[in-house]
Amino acid sequence: MKHLILPLALVSASPAFAAGGPFFSLRNTDFVVLLGFLVFVGILLWAKAPAKIAGMLDARAEQIKAELAEAKALREEARALLSSYEKKQKEVQEQSERIVAAAKEEALAAAKQAKDDLKVSIARRLAAAEDQIASAEASALRQVRERAVAVAVAAAADVLAKQASAETAAASIDDAIAQVEAKLH
């Protein structure tokens, strides 16, 4: 029935009915065109073209479904990758913040240690300077005493030389010899 509806619709809608004259004649171009069309449609049906076209369309639909499924899978994979990269980025950010905080703490500790070391160094240098000053003072006092003794001895020698005569000098020498003998024996 379906095969007859199409040709009847074409025949009933053709302008040949309006023109008059025999429609079923080979001289009528409309009839010849209708016959050619029916032969063409018959050849297409005999060659099973609609089934092949439907098969091609079904295959294309399956291919499109497969591509859509692949696209969905790729999208999910991309989301998973994006999620993992965001997680890694967050971890790296936290790690860098921890590293910066640790570096700041180390810098503060190093600064404090340097300050303490500087205080110790200054105290040590101050103590060394005080020791040098005390040593210099002692050396200066010793030199002053030695000089004072030398001056006193020289002054005493001058005084004794002025006061001493040959007799007193001989007596002094004899006394000194006697003292040395007494200490040695």
Side-chain angles (χ1 to χ4, degrees), residues 117-127:
D117 291 346
L118 184 61
K119 284 180 182 178
V120 168
S121 175
I122 288 172
R124 208 177 19 226
R125 286 184 182 179
L126 187 59

Side-chain angles (χ1 to χ4, degrees), residues 7 16 27 39 41 55 64 81 86 99 111 113 125 133 142 181:
R27 290 186 186 180
V39 169
V41 170
I64 290 172
L81 281 174
E86 286 174 349
I99 290 171
Q113 183 64 36
R125 286 184 182 179
I133 291 171
R142 190 173 50 252
E181 279 181 9

Side-chain angles (χ1 to χ4, degrees), residues 54-77:
M56 289 172 48
L57 290 175
D58 288 343
R60 180 71 179 141
E62 289 299 320
Q63 182 183 2
I64 290 172
K65 283 181 185 177
E67 288 176 357
L68 285 175
E70 183 181 354
K72 284 181 183 178
L74 287 175
R75 185 178 69 200
E76 290 302 318
E77 184 180 341

